[in-house]
Amino acid sequence: MSSTQSPNYSGTWKLTSSENLDGFLKARGIGWAQRKLAASLSVTHIVEHVGDQFKITIKRGLLNPTSNVYIVGDQKGTKVKDLSGKENTFVVTSEKRESGEVLVFSGYSEDGKAIVQAIRMLCDEGKTLKIFVSKLIEPKAQMVSIFTKQE
């Protein structure tokens, strides 16, 4: 990828490691059994990225896959249910940072409060996807998921 070319996130991405998954899920109010299940699942993200549109399908082991379509800059956002069944609205923006262009997924509750933010960044010449997730309300928590692109 040249320095002037925007990154393309398309591909099949397999989760290779997570940092602080249990602590993050606990802070989100997820119970012990669901946290242990989440930690044991094989997770794959299938991303179709065309222009400003992203379709992200998440496969978690044998559970039914979930798909959501996000459009960068769409202020209405996309409604997404989390593991606890709560529905949040995600708005996606793109930012140019020193480390390169990143996608910022900001999740909002029904009352409009920013509750979670996920920053997606391609590394290692597009072979690694890092997702930094922060819970913005008390109790605050952060986690990092690292995915490897499958050939």
Side-chain angles (χ1 to χ4, degrees):
M1 172 170 35
S2 74
S3 60
T4 59
Q5 184 181 17
S6 292
N8 189 302
Y9 289 77
S10 293
T12 299
W13 301 90
K14 183 164 179 57
L15 179 67
T16 54
S17 67
S18 288
E19 297 171 16
N20 197 36
L21 173 64
D22 189 72
F24 181 80
L25 294 176
K26 188 174 184 178
R28 294 281 323 253
I30 306 296
W32 178 86
Q34 281 186 300
R35 293 196 318 266
K36 295 306 171 198
L37 175 64
S40 71
L41 294 175
S42 169
V43 178
T44 302
H45 286 199
I46 301 166
V47 179
E48 298 171 39
H49 174 190
V50 178
D52 283 343
Q53 183 170 305
F54 293 83
K55 179 180 180 187
I56 302 174
T57 302
I58 301 174
K59 293 183 177 181
R60 295 179 182 97
L62 299 175
L63 301 176
N64 289 333
T66 58
S67 292
N68 292 292
V69 175
Y70 306 91
I71 299 173
V72 175
D74 177 7
Q75 293 304 308
K76 292 182 294 181
T78 300
K79 297 218 180 282
V80 179
K81 284 190 178 180
D82 65 17
L83 287 175
S84 68
K86 294 177 187 171
E87 190 172 80
N88 303 306
T89 301
F90 277 83
V91 174
V92 181
T93 57
S94 178
E95 296 179 5
K96 194 75 168 171
R97 297 191 174 176
E98 252 183 62
S99 58
E101 189 171 348
V102 299
L103 292 172
V104 180
F105 289 69
S106 300
Y108 297 90
S109 63
E110 288 179 4
D111 60 3
K113 289 184 182 175
I115 56 170
V116 68
Q117 183 178 74
I119 298 174
R120 290 175 173 259
M121 177 173 38
L122 289 176
C123 305
D124 304 324
E125 298 180 0
K127 296 176 185 169
T128 303
L129 171 64
K130 291 185 179 179
I131 304 176
F132 301 87
V133 183
S134 300
K135 183 173 180 279
L136 304 174
I137 58 175
E138 296 297 334
K140 294 182 179 183
Q142 294 180 336
M143 67 171 277
V144 178
S145 296
I146 300 173
F147 293 79
T148 302
K149 192 168 193 175
Q150 305 300 289
E151 298 301 322

